[in-house]
Amino acid sequence: MTTRRLDADLFGRRTEFEYSETWVGYALLGLRLVMGWTLFYAGITKLLDPAWSAEGYLRNAIPAGNPFAGFWPALADGWLWLIDPLNAWGLTLVGLCLLLGLLVRWAAFWGAAMMLFYWAASLPLENGLVVDDHVVYALLLFGLGAFGAGRILGLDARLE
């Protein structure tokens, strides 16, 4: 099993440690596939349900005290023609790209952007001050993009 040594300056401090390339590869592949399935399934179920719309969520599910409280109903009033397909197709295509290992850096960026919007809509958080599952997903997507995880048994290896 091949090991490597990471030597980097992180937040102004020198960081050094050894890691297994093999296990990092398995971890990245597993994270990419699980996150891909999570997003793909969330999107495809919306696409296949002709009655689905973000309108109910935007009007009724935003927590009291949300700092952007007026923004979400405004989206429901005049922007559902854009919000609904962006949400459903965005989740589906980002998930599919992750599953296939195709354009993973691009997909991870847009997936993280969606997660940050979902996070902003869920403020104030019920079970935390700043971090919830949307922040975890956004950081996971950032990591997959930073590593170029589509090159691990994915189509990005062929594209490059």
Side-chain angles (χ1 to χ4, degrees):
M1 196 173 304
T2 305
T3 60
R4 293 233 183 210
R5 183 162 190 80
L6 176 75
D7 296 312
D9 287 321
L10 300 174
F11 302 110
R13 296 190 67 176
R14 191 84 190 137
T15 302
E16 300 175 15
F17 64 90
E18 287 187 8
Y19 62 93
S20 163
E21 286 184 334
T22 302
W23 289 110
V24 167
Y26 282 124
L28 289 171
L29 176 63
L31 290 169
R32 191 188 89 214
L33 293 175
V34 167
M35 192 74 236
W37 178 253
T38 300
L39 297 177
F40 177 77
Y41 185 78
I44 199 71
T45 56
K46 289 170 179 51
L47 285 176
L48 296 176
D49 180 359
W52 179 84
S53 175
E55 182 177 15
Y57 180 84
L58 293 170
R59 289 193 190 282
N60 306 309
I62 305 301
N66 185 284
F68 312 106
F71 178 67
W72 311 113
L75 289 178
D77 286 337
W79 293 93
L80 285 175
W81 62 271
L82 181 62
I83 297 301
D84 284 349
L86 276 178
N87 195 11
W89 280 103
L91 288 168
T92 303
L93 293 175
V94 167
L96 187 61
C97 283
L98 291 174
L99 287 170
L100 298 174
L102 176 65
L103 305 172
V104 166
R105 287 188 165 138
W106 182 252
F109 172 82
W110 288 111
M114 281 192 297
M115 292 304 119
L116 294 177
F117 271 99
Y118 297 158
W119 171 80
S122 62
L123 293 174
L125 302 176
E126 185 176 330
N127 297 311
L129 295 176
V130 176
V131 177
D132 73 348
D133 56 332
H134 301 105
V135 174
V136 174
Y137 288 169
L139 288 173
L140 188 148
L141 288 161
F142 172 78
L144 292 174
F147 275 103
R151 295 178 290 183
I152 303 167
L153 298 176
L155 295 176
D156 281 350
R158 291 197 174 257
L159 289 177
E160 291 179 6

